[in-house]
Amino acid sequence: MRTPSPQTVGRFVAVAFAVALVCSAVAPAFAATPRSASDPARVPAVSADTAGQPATNSGATQSAPADPDSDVIGWEDGYWHNESIDVDQSDGLSDEELRAYVARAMARVEYIREEEFDSRVPVSIITREEYRNQSAGGGGSDEYNRWNDQVWEGLFIVGESTGSGEAIGGTTGSSVAGFYSPTNDAITIVTDSPDSPTINNATLVHELVHALQDQQYDLTNETYRGQTQDSDLAIDGVVEGEANYIETRYAQRCGDEWDCVDTPQAGGGGGGGGPGPNLGILITLLNPYSDGPAYVNELIEEGGWDAFEERFRNPPVSTEQVIHRTDETPRELSFEDEGTNGWETFPRDDPRLGENGSDTVGEASIYAMFWYQAREYQANTINPNGLFQGTESPYDTYNYESPPSDGWDGDRLFPYRNGEGDDAEYGYVWLTAWDSEEDAEQFHDTYLRMLDAHDVRETDEGYYVVPDGPFEDAFLVRLDGDRVTIVNGPTVEDVADIRPSLDPATETPADETATPTDGDGDAGGDDTPDDSADTTEPGDTGDTDDGVTETDGAGFGFGVAAAAVAVAGLLARRRG
């Protein structure tokens, strides 16, 4: 995985730890075993890539062919991809063993990817304690952390009693095996035994792919920096997707075609201490590692590496595109701040705080929200076991499709605050758009059932109040045609102050009603809920407008996010 930054902390981190955590903590009944280089039988067999490469010996143990006169694909630093090396990790890696191990792995990545490294990739070792210190608390400014807290609280994944940085650190700090830093052009391996370090084949290959990507495309380029949570995850669909795809292709050759270095079970990762993982964060993090390889495989099957390279230069703009293998672009949503009595959005010109002060969480995160609430709170949202069922591609580990998230067409979540410092209070407005009125109703009804899991009560005015617990707050949940708007604040009065036009007791004046457009200026859509809908459904509060203007267009642009330190970053994204 890449290293995290103030905005996209940590794409490029080896994710085998997360797969193992999900399998052990979530669904032991499914016996879902993660892929590894030592278990090639669990991945599909494919034909070897041989174009332009030296002949491959048939046995798992090979003698070294003669070195080439100049550097070629499949040979690096004195080692061919198909020759044996004398490396034994049972007592840790010596400097000489590490050099041979990395060189041959680079040759093998070249061979599978059909692309040449420009230079050798440095690999260093740090202790897990050093890594925890680097990634503790998410690393962001206080303002960024408070802003990001509202995003994760809005997803019902991190409650008010825990900061998002703390929750992210608790999920990742004890588990990351390694990461690649585009700013340092180097791989760092995280270990509990620095005096006798070991490196898993999968971790090394995964991070070497990121190094090759960086040498080819420059991963510090803004093209690979998402401005929102959803765009970060979407970009990682090709960045992490390619790394996991090549990692899988590598594993397929181990044993029969290639000999691969064994990794002692106790080495190269893990480690206790600190809080356990937040599974909602984990499922969010895993999306590009799961759906990304299948997305990459489909591109390569249809158009070869040329098609993939074209998509890498122009990455997907939403997780919807990666999950469903579609080019459909999200709907753009405009927003006007209506906060009164001290309620205001965070600075909308601060590049660390998403797109104009808002985040887009996207389809994958909405799936994670409903999954996590079903898993942890027994909410009647989706079947949590569905995560492990129905994947069609052998490269697709988990299934991120569900009825209440599949119809996503765009969203923006605006964190709000009132006051400063320890006395500040927080809330948010979350605008969501859906492919159809039926999709919007599906999301709306599922969201209300999620609130039911927290003993929600509905007021006479149509607000919802969660009386206690980690998500204690007041809510307004508004269905209008193919849109759902959610407003959150500490009390009903605060919700009314944050979004006065949606106060159920007040009709929006006609001259303040926003008109949806279809992208060319013509009015489109209907602000009035479908008359055929069940008007007794909790949360259906009539036909007042929600203040949103919609235009169909390309997904949000790629924004400020630079690469920097570990997996926490993918989730914390824009640290201060």
Side-chain angles (χ1 to χ4, degrees):
M1 175 172 182
R2 299 177 282 184
T3 57
S5 76
Q7 300 204 300
T8 44
V9 223
R11 305 179 192 146
F12 320 136
V13 173
V15 80
F17 79 91
V19 178
L21 278 174
V22 171
C23 295
S24 61
V26 176
F30 285 89
T33 304
R35 298 186 305 268
S36 74
S38 60
D39 187 15
R42 300 195 66 84
V43 294
V46 296
S47 59
D49 305 295
T50 56
Q53 308 298 337
T56 302
N57 295 340
S58 59
T61 302
Q62 298 93 25
S63 58
D67 287 346
D69 294 333
S70 61
D71 199 5
V72 297
I73 290 176
W75 180 90
E76 276 296 322
D77 199 15
Y79 293 90
W80 286 104
H81 68 88
N82 60 343
E83 72 173 270
S84 299
I85 57 177
D86 185 15
V87 173
D88 181 359
Q89 296 200 87
S90 61
D91 57 352
L93 289 166
S94 67
D95 291 344
E96 183 179 353
E97 287 177 319
L98 179 61
R99 177 182 174 276
Y101 191 13
V102 172
R104 191 184 66 175
M106 290 178 65
R108 290 180 169 182
V109 169
E110 287 185 348
Y111 178 76
I112 295 171
R113 179 58 183 85
E114 302 176 17
E115 193 68 44
E116 179 72 52
F117 278 97
D118 294 336
S119 60
R120 182 173 174 78
V121 182
V123 178
S124 61
I125 309 290
I126 65 171
T127 67
R128 190 157 302 282
E129 181 179 3
E130 289 176 297
Y131 175 76
R132 289 196 188 103
N133 290 338
Q134 291 177 9
S135 59
S141 68
D142 184 69
E143 180 165 65
Y144 169 76
N145 287 332
R146 299 294 78 76
W147 178 88
N148 202 37
D149 287 348
Q150 297 311 301
V151 174
W152 287 98
E153 184 181 334
L155 284 169
F156 271 69
I157 288 176
V158 178
E160 293 183 347
S161 61
T162 306
S164 57
E166 178 185 351
I168 290 164
T171 300
T172 63
S174 297
S175 307
V176 171
F179 58 89
Y180 174 74
S181 169
T183 55
N184 297 326
D185 301 325
I187 292 170
T188 299
I189 300 299
V190 183
T191 179
D192 294 307
S193 53
D195 294 332
S196 55
T198 63
I199 305 176
N200 184 275
N201 274 293
T203 300
L204 180 58
V205 169
H206 189 103
E207 304 314 326
L208 284 172
V209 175
H210 290 318
L212 183 58
Q213 292 170 340
D214 192 30
Q215 292 181 12
Q216 288 181 286
Y217 303 103
D218 182 9
L219 292 178
T220 65
N221 187 283
E222 67 175 15
T223 300
Y224 307 107
R225 307 171 190 173
Q227 193 170 12
T228 68
Q229 177 158 307
D230 193 50
S231 60
D232 263 342
L233 290 166
I235 293 167
D236 277 341
V238 289
V239 175
E240 299 297 347
E242 183 192 16
N244 263 25
Y245 173 82
I246 291 178
E247 180 187 323
T248 299
R249 299 289 296 269
Y250 179 101
Q252 293 162 2
R253 290 172 167 81
C254 286
D256 294 330
E257 184 178 346
W258 289 341
D259 69 334
C260 295
V261 176
D262 291 331
T263 307
Q265 188 166 358
N278 177 308
L279 294 178
I281 291 175
L282 197 57
I283 293 304
T284 306
L285 168 67
L286 276 173
N287 175 257
Y289 296 86
S290 170
D291 287 350
Y295 182 77
V296 169
N297 179 62
E298 185 169 296
L299 289 169
I300 294 170
E301 284 188 341
E302 292 179 355
W305 285 111
D306 288 345
F308 168 77
E309 289 171 3
E310 174 62 26
R311 183 51 49 88
F312 200 96
R313 294 186 183 95
N314 300 279
V317 299
S318 70
T319 54
E320 175 191 39
Q321 293 184 337
V322 179
I323 292 170
H324 300 289
R325 327 280 198 264
T326 177
D327 290 328
E328 181 180 342
T329 56
R331 197 186 316 182
E332 293 183 350
L333 300 175
S334 298
F335 175 80
E336 293 296 332
D337 177 21
E338 299 177 1
T340 61
N341 293 328
W343 283 101
E344 59 184 0
T345 62
F346 282 69
R348 299 179 71 172
D349 59 353
D350 188 337
R352 299 170 302 174
L353 306 182
E355 183 200 24
N356 297 322
S358 75
D359 207 349
T360 295
V361 299
E363 182 173 335
S365 296
I366 290 173
Y367 175 92
M369 171 179 74
F370 288 139
W371 181 92
Y372 179 70
Q373 285 291 308
R375 172 64 171 75
E376 294 297 307
Y377 296 93
Q378 293 72 55
N380 183 19
T381 53
I382 63 176
N383 176 7
N385 291 336
L387 182 70
F388 304 93
Q389 302 168 341
T391 55
E392 297 178 358
S393 168
Y395 292 95
D396 196 349
T397 309
Y398 300 121
N399 181 7
Y400 281 79
E401 297 186 31
S402 75
S405 58
D406 283 351
W408 180 89
D409 195 29
D411 77 81
R412 295 181 73 181
L413 192 154
F414 285 85
Y416 270 72
R417 65 181 170 190
N418 192 335
E420 298 291 338
D422 294 339
D423 296 328
E425 295 184 306
Y426 300 93
Y428 54 84
V429 176
W430 186 11
L431 317 174
T432 70
W434 300 87
D435 289 336
S436 68
E437 293 187 5
E438 292 75 18
D439 290 324
E441 186 173 7
Q442 179 86 43
F443 171 80
H444 169 270
D445 294 350
T446 305
Y447 189 91
L448 292 183
R449 291 198 302 273
M450 181 180 72
L451 293 182
D452 284 340
H454 298 274
D455 300 322
V456 71
R457 63 177 179 84
E458 184 176 3
T459 70
D460 292 340
E461 297 86 2
Y463 295 99
Y464 297 90
V465 177
V466 174
D468 52 35
F471 304 102
E472 175 183 350
D473 264 332
F475 300 80
L476 178 59
V477 186
R478 176 61 179 281
L479 172 65
D480 284 300
D482 63 358
R483 290 169 287 140
V484 178
T485 302
I486 298 165
V487 186
N488 165 276
T491 68
V492 166
E493 291 74 21
D494 292 318
V495 170
D497 287 341
I498 290 171
R499 202 70 179 159
S501 71
L502 285 187
D503 185 337
T506 305
E507 288 190 12
T508 303
D511 60 353
E512 295 183 10
T513 301
T515 303
T517 67
D518 60 9
D520 58 5
D522 297 330
D526 184 355
D527 290 338
T528 305
D530 187 348
D531 290 339
S532 65
D534 181 1
T535 57
T536 64
E537 178 66 47
D540 188 353
T541 55
D543 59 0
T544 59
D545 187 80
D546 62 3
V548 184
T549 301
E550 305 168 354
T551 57
D552 290 328
F556 306 128
F558 304 108
V560 260
V565 170
V567 70
L570 173 61
L571 303 171
R573 301 170 333 282
R574 292 161 303 283
R575 302 198 283 183

